[in-house]
Amino acid sequence: MVDYHAANNQYSAGGPQTYMEQENDWDRDLLLDPAWEKQQRKTFTAWCNSHLRKAGTQIENIEEDFRDGLKLMLLLEVISGERLPKPERGKMRVHKINNVNKALDFIASKGVKLVSIGAEEIVDGNAKMTLGMIWTIILRFAIQDISVEETSAKEGLLLWCQRKTAPYKNVNVQNFHISWKDGLAFNALIHRHRPELIDYDKLRKDDPVTNLNNAFEVAEKYLDIPKMLDAEDIVNTARPDEKAIMTYVSSFYHAFSGAQKAETAANRICKVLAVNQENEHLMEDYEKLASDLLEWIRRTIPWLENRTPEKTMAEMQQKLEDFRDYRRVHKPPKVQEKCQLEINFNTLQTKLRLSNRPAFMPSEGRMVSDINGSWHTLEGAEKGYEEWLLNEIRRLERLDHLAEKFRQKAAIHESWTDGKEAMLTQKDYETASLSEVKALLRKHEAFESDLAAHQDRVEQIAAIAQELNELDYYDSPSVNTRCQKICDQWDSLGALTQSRRESLERTEKQLESIDELYLEYAKRAAPFNNWMEGAMEDLQDMFIVHNIEEIQGLITAHEQFKSTLPDANKEREAIQAIQAEVQKIAQYNGIKLSGTNPYTTITPQSIDNKWEQAQQLVPQRDQALQEELSKQQSNDHLRRKFATQANMVGPWIQTKMEEIGRISIEMNGTLEDQLTNLREYEQSIIEYKPNIDQLEGDHQLIQEALIFDNKYTAYTMEHLRVGWEQLLTTIARTINEIENQILTRDAKGISQEQLHEYRASFNHFDKDHSGALMAEEFKACLISLGYDVENNKQGDAEFARIMGIVDPNNSGAVTFQAFIDFMSRETTDTDTADQVIASFKILAGDKNYITAEELRRELPPDQAEYCIARMAPYSGADGIPGALDYMSFSTALYGESDL
């Protein structure tokens, strides 16, 4: 049944007045027609019980059960929704009269003019006065609020019946008595609103009792309208009682009027809940995508930050290949996911603003800024890892070169020192003649000269070992052991040399014979021999260069070395001439030579052999240098090829970025045209991808050739790769901005001309074409649009309010999308929390709570269960099972409290 609180309050606001005076003129002198009185008793009793049952009671005899005034006061409280004064519980006549008077005073307070109805007559059980009083109550609380096209009460109810039954045959409602006798009008009203309940075409005008009973039973069973009339009483009465018919028909009016409101309310709630469910799905999708991306970044960064070096070049090359695979295969999909995540976030925020919902705040650590920060950390680790890989490869290459150089020099030195300790410790001078001792002394002096010449080599060996240690060479222990052995042996040789010299000098005074030629030979042969050994060592020395200039420097140095060979050959010939002179003098003077030079172990044959070896090494060195020159020329070709492509791609990317910046602030055509043009523009950019792939291929060849610099271009592959990714992201964001503008336009009903006007205003004040307005630029724009935000206390407050809407993050800048959202919010209407609360209040029958049963009856199943799962129990309805708090729920939908 329908409550009449609203009608009561509406009427009371206007003050007391007299209404339907022809209905209130209750003739005290004439008796009611017995048939009418019977009908009124039944109808009024049923009407009263339909309301009293809400309070858990009812009446049996209308004139008897209201005599003490208790149930009369209870009836008025139920239908008005107001509290009456506390009734008196005594059983004396005065107590009953006082209670009835309280009820009559309440009726009079609602603007009802009671004609000749007194409390004593009600207490005495006067049937006519009691029925008249109940009719007055029915008029005031059930019929008076009916209004159709500025008519009210009886005329309004009659007009409503006529319009609802107009399409039905054999129905012509002209009054509230004989027009209803055949029952067709009752059935027509039900069929008009609930056609599934009645098969109207099967009803017959000549069977009024069946028609009436059918309508009464359907109304009671499906519409919750109690049976207030008897079919036989109506059919057997020439003119049915008008008041009884009006009372019963008014119940139909309120029942169907409430159903229409409930349907409207349900539709509104369904719409709001559908938007909320969709937004929740988008939020869940964002959270999952953000979580997955952050997890991938979290797992990838430790790998990129791992700086554990490998021992060999092959292992480090594998690390570099793994890094290239990450760049080509694993990272690009994540770049796309990051871009899509930002697009989804912007779209979700736009939908939330359009539906007047609070902005979406992702979980802690999953904001777009958090993801950008993690991404920045990832790219920093990625850049550092690549630099470390290349430096580590350079280090290992340097280490391999140094280790080989150490082994060569150590082997040469060890070969030279072999047997030197035994030579220095022998006592041959003790039994030698004077000439032999002098020869031994000269030989020792030559050895000291040779020893001094080898000092540089020992220092070089120690320096190379130290550098290998500083560069963390993996086989440093064996290098250190060998180096220490060489140094210890060198110290021992120095001590032994000094000791032998002292021994020879002690016997030098007795030994005067000396062969000057042998000595001269030894003195000149030793440095020349050292020079040849050094030359052969240099000719066999490994080299590493990184550019043409370095290899050309080596070639130049080699050419300079070759230019010294003629002078060296002259020195060789001079040394051989000394030996020839020795042979000549010995032969001339008959001197018997021992066969070897007592002052040196360097024989003419050994000098010639080493000279021949040096002559063979020179062309080999020429060939090695030329091969390296060819390699560096090839590397230079790779540099030039990469630079040519990079110098084309780099400016192209920059130009496209600038063009996108111009497109985003221009107004050419409709939003759909702009979206189409941008997508075509995006396709043209994507079609440029083969140039990037070609550049990646050239870059791989450069890295495989271990080329670490390029003087022909300022662009690196990293710069171009970042620029390309930024270009793709920028065009995708620009397309998303246009799509969001279309969403805003369609959702808010903004015309294309308004959007052009907004864009023109925005661009006019966007002086730097940055795509965003600073605070002062935005204030000037608002003033141009007529907003009162001048520099005064009231204007500053209004501007602060607007900035809180368009810039909730206090960034100090207003984007065009935020500007459109604000303008559309100012010019259009959206659902509010109060509207949703009012809709729930209608579904709840004007109660401050709603039950799960009512939600399931009025809403679709999925949205009913959605509400039930999220509504808190109603704290003000103790003892009512299933009572839910729809007010807090509605407020939470719009961000005013927590759900």
Side-chain angles (χ1 to χ4, degrees), residues 250-265:
S250 69
S251 297
F252 283 90
Y253 174 85
H254 289 294
F256 293 135
S257 176
Q260 184 175 359
K261 292 179 181 178
E263 180 180 356
T264 301

Side-chain angles (χ1 to χ4, degrees), residues 759-775:
R759 172 56 82 178
S761 300
F762 189 89
N763 289 347
H764 176 74
F765 291 96
D766 184 14
K767 303 299 184 183
D768 58 356
H769 304 295
S770 63
L773 298 181
M774 296 297 103

